[in-house]
């Protein structure tokens, strides 16, 4: 399952796979279960569509957000949050880390890797979307996975299948990625820990896919 | 039919360019269009193409000039401040009658401005930017699918008319993700007998140049070029009409603003307001015909723009100021909410068309 008993959950992947949506929903589900939760947004690649968009929901759920103070502004710098080390120093919180896309985004983890490895209570999931044009199959995804591991100096422990076509996602769209996800898990030698789907198609897939995890998507865009 | 993929607008432009046969990309990174360069950097080496990160925008546009002169499909992309730097090259391309595809994923300005979406380069795109008498075909996509299809169309038009086609998008269109089909019609083969691609000792040398030693030759070339532009104005305008059948108020918007406007129009229709929209898809040539027709029917026009009001001038020109044209705008990187647009529509409706 996506929810686990480790203190830190790290979400990495090719950019545009939906890591932020998965991170936001995982954190909210942990908070609902009564945990003290921190979301750490370490995206230094993309200045748009950030965890900060969920600030109101985090506030309501009592979730602490560690985030670059320049997110959603005009300052386009790969800057890290000043409270970065609370991730590894403050062990009273469980932490969900949302990492920027590809190896260039994962590089940030290298700084935290020694402390994360020393504490030895983490999961690192590769979030995948087969409908992204540069990772349409197992070999291309495995290649990105290797690049992220090299940059982050951490090894993946599981795979999250978040394959979707945005607003055009149907149950069939998700079902067509089941083989890909299983083959990827086998090729990588990692468990497929979850398949994440938008809550409106969750009922159609219940019982058909194991370890299904529902996502509530933010929909506050004016266009 | 091939399966759809989930793409950012910027990626859709890059992949569509490759589908259209573009194998040469020159650019320099700038937010919010950097994914185009990043995508090309990953993909071009795998398909025998050329990706080159130039030392500046000025260098990139001159590399475009060089490749275009050889008859190959070529493109560059940037965002607002970077397009200003390319302006000299755009004028030289026009002066040498060279085809090229140039992408502007606009951000807020003027100056360094910001990285959030904007439409304030409308004048720059439709009125020149560079010096001299020239035009560019300007295409304004309003979905990720159109980012792809208009890129392919842009290459075809550029080759057909030997001029620059520009994709005028904005930061949101570049960054947002939507499902895309990458099935495009087979590209037209357009002969380029003017290309400097080797005579093989079988023909005279071709020369690509924008310098004319005799004033009368330069004048003649300008007049000939403008005959071509007049033909394009007659034949290549594209637009979409939305709920215009019985409309009394005509909203006008392109790109991301048209999507916000559509939401507002649907809400206004629920309240019984007779409102529709003309969405220009080509900004040059501006679709004059539907505006002329609408000017005889509607009470007023509302131009919804992410600028201080630029397209509004083309609406006034197209309608010959027959009916009032009002502005509903945000600037500096802010997108209006559907409620703001709705409020303008409702107010105009209550005031007999006036805002």
């Amino acid at each position: 399952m996506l929810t686990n008993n480790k203190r830190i959950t790290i979400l990495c992947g090719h950019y545009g796979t939906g890591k932020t949506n998965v991170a936001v929903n995982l954190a909210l589900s942990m908070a609902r279960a009564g945990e003290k939760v921190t979301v750490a947004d370490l995206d230094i690649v993309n200045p748009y569509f950030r965890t900060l968009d969920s600030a109101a929901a985090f506030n309501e759920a009592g979730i602490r957000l560690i985030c670059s103070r320049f997110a959603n502004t005009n300052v386009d710098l790969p800057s890290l949050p000043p409270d970065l080390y609370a991730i590894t120093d403050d062990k009273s919180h469980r932490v969900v880390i949302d990492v920027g896309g590809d190896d260039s985004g994962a590089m940030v983890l290298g700084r935290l890797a020694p402390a994360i490895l020393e504490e030895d209570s983490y999961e690192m999931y590769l979030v995948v979307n087969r409908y992204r044009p540069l990772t349409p199959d197992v070999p291309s995804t495995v290649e990105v996975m290797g690049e992220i591991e090299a940059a982050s100096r951490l090894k993946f422990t599981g795979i999250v299948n978040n394959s979707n076509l945005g607003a055009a996602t149907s149950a069939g769209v998700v079902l067509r990625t089941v083989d890909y996800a299983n083959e990827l898990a086998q090729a990588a030698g990692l468990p497929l820990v979850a398949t994440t789907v938008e809550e409106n198609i969750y009922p159609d897939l219940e019982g058909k896919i194991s370890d299904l995890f529902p996502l509530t998507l933010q929909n506050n865009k004016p266009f | 039919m091939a399966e759809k993929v989930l793409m950012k607008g910027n990626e859709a432009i890059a992949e569509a360019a490759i589908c259209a046969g573009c194998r040469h990309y020159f650019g320099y990174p700038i937010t919010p269009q950097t994914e185009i360069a990043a995508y090309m950097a990953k993909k071009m080496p795998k398909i025998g193409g050329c990706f080159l990160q130039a030392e500046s925008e000025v260098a990139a546009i001159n590399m475009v000039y060089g490749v275009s002169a050889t008859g190959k499909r070529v493109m560059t992309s940037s965002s607002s401040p970077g397009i200003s730097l390319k302006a000299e090259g755009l004028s030289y391309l026009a002066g040498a009658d060279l085809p090229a595809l140039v992408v502007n994923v606009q951000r807020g300005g003027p100056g360094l401005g910001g990285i959030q979406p904007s439409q304030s380069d409308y004048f720059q795109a439709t009125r020149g930017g560079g010096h001299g008498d020239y035009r560019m075909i300007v295409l304004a996509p309003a979905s990720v699918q159109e980012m792809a299809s208009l890129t392919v169309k842009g290459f075809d038009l550029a080759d057909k008319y030997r001029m620059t086609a520009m994709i005028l998008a904005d930061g949101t269109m570049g960054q947002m993700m939507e499902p895309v089909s990458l099935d495009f019609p087979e590209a037209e083969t357009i002969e380029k007998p003017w290309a400097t691609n080797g005579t093989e000792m079988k023909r005279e040398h071709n020369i690509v140049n924008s310098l004319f030693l005799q004033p009368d030759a330069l004048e003649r070339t300008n007049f000939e070029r403008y005959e071509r532009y007049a033909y394009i104005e007659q034949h290549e305008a594209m637009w979409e009409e939305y709920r215009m059948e019985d409309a009394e108020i005509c909203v006008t918007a392109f790109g991301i603003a048209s999507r916000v406007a559509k939401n507002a129009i649907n809400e206004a229709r629920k309240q019984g307001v007779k409102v529709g929209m003309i969405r220009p898809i080509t900004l040059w040539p501006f679709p004059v015909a539907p505006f002329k027709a609408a000017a005889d029917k509607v009470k007023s026009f509302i131009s919804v723009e992410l600028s201080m009001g630029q397209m509004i001038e083309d609406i006034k020109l197209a309608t010959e100021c027959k009916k009032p044209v009002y502005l509903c705008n945000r600037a500096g990187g802010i997108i209006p909410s559907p409620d703001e647009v709705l409020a303008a529509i409702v107010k105009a409706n209550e005031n007999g068309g006036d805002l």
Side-chain angles (χ1 to χ4, degrees), chain B residues 237-278:
Chain B
M238 291 191 285
W239 70 91
E240 178 201 356
E241 292 189 34
Y242 184 69
R243 305 186 86 163
M244 280 299 291
E245 316 78 55
D246 60 343
E248 292 173 356
I249 295 166
C250 176
V251 170
T252 300
F254 68 95
I256 193 72
S258 71
R259 296 170 64 118
V260 179
K262 221 172 230 185
N263 290 337
I265 288 165
N266 290 341
E267 194 51 44
R269 282 275 175 180
K270 278 186 207 157
Q271 299 179 18
V273 181
K274 289 182 176 171
V275 57
M277 174 166 67
I278 301 174

Side-chain angles (χ1 to χ4, degrees), chain A residues 14-16 46-49 72-76 102-103 129-134 143 147 164-168 176 222-223, chain B residues 3-8 11 31-32 35 39 42-43 113-116 172 175-177 179 256 259-260 263 335-338:
Chain A
H14 176 50
Y15 79 94
N46 186 357
Y48 306 98
F49 304 127
N72 285 5
T73 73
N74 278 333
V75 184
D76 185 12
D102 290 346
D103 46 340
N129 179 357
R130 193 187 63 108
Y131 295 101
R132 292 287 291 138
L134 295 180
E143 194 183 326
E147 289 164 2
N164 73 89
L165 271 176
R176 283 201 293 279
F223 41 83
Chain B
E3 200 173 37
K4 285 191 173 182
V5 287
L6 186 68
M7 294 184 114
K8 283 194 170 200
E11 297 170 332
T31 307
E35 290 85 359
Y39 195 94
K42 286 221 154 125
K43 201 94 189 250
I115 62 170
Q116 302 298 335
T172 303
Q175 295 296 323
M176 67 195 287
M177 293 175 80
I256 193 72
R259 296 170 64 118
V260 179
N263 290 337
I335 298 177
S337 70

Side-chain angles (χ1 to χ4, degrees), chain A residues 134-181:
Chain A
L134 295 180
T135 53
D137 51 28
V138 172
S140 55
T141 314
V142 168
E143 194 183 326
V144 169
M145 184 179 147
E147 289 164 2
I148 291 173
E149 287 187 332
S152 68
R153 294 189 244 159
L154 293 167
K155 293 284 179 202
F156 282 108
T157 63
I159 286 164
V160 175
N161 181 15
N162 187 46
S163 293
N164 73 89
L165 271 176
T169 310
S170 62
V173 164
V174 178
L175 283 169
R176 283 201 293 279
T177 68
V178 168
D179 288 348
Y180 157 81

Side-chain angles (χ1 to χ4, degrees), chain A residues 110-131:
Chain A
R111 183 65 190 88
L112 297 168
I116 291 172
L117 288 167
E118 192 192 341
E119 183 185 352
D120 195 23
S121 180
Y122 79 97
E123 299 282 356
M124 181 159 104
Y125 298 146
L126 177 72
V127 181
V128 296
N129 179 357
R130 193 187 63 108
Y131 295 101

